[in-house]
Amino acid sequence: MASVYILYSKNLNRFYIGSCNDLSQRLAQHVNRDFEDSFTAKTDDWLLFFSVTDLNYQQARSIETHIKKMKSVPYIENLKKYPDIITKLRERYQ
């Protein structure tokens, strides 16, 4: 099953939003800087801020795109605060 995840770097004071099929493997890739030219290679202090699991891959990609289009730190913080937002996104992007 696929996941949408949000990482946070205190050093950069930035969020990173992504989706994948294997969350633990993908998180390790970010922390280990497996992709030298990627945004997350800029620092090694990425922490998992939030994730949504048990999605099909297309659903995960759609939710990732939706979150990125919002371009809003408060929106990202509200995803964690208000679980109903995720419930509605799951329904919207079935």
Side-chain angles (χ1 to χ4, degrees):
M1 296 304 295
S3 302
V4 174
Y5 60 93
I6 301 173
L7 304 178
Y8 178 74
S9 165
K10 188 173 183 177
N11 288 341
L12 300 175
N13 191 30
R14 295 284 305 266
F15 287 99
Y16 175 85
I17 304 156
S19 61
C20 63
N21 280 317
D22 185 335
L23 184 57
S24 60
Q25 177 187 10
R26 189 69 178 113
L27 293 177
Q29 289 173 327
H30 285 299
V31 172
N32 296 330
R33 299 181 187 179
D34 287 355
F35 305 103
E36 295 174 10
D37 296 330
S38 71
F39 177 77
T40 57
K42 293 178 181 184
T43 189
D44 65 352
D45 74 327
W46 294 105
L47 297 174
L48 183 62
F49 176 79
F50 182 75
S51 66
V52 182
T53 58
D54 297 326
L55 303 168
N56 68 55
Y57 188 69
Q58 186 54 51
Q59 188 180 28
R61 297 287 294 172
S62 296
I63 292 172
E64 173 193 4
T65 300
H66 171 85
I67 295 168
K68 286 179 175 179
K69 283 182 180 178
M70 297 304 289
K71 297 183 182 218
S72 169
V73 171
Y75 184 78
I76 290 171
E77 291 168 344
N78 283 339
L79 290 173
K80 196 171 187 177
K81 234 186 258 185
Y82 305 108
D84 287 353
I85 297 172
I86 291 301
T87 301
K88 290 177 184 175
L89 290 175
R90 282 179 183 269
E91 291 170 1
R92 179 176 178 182
Y93 296 109
Q94 285 187 12

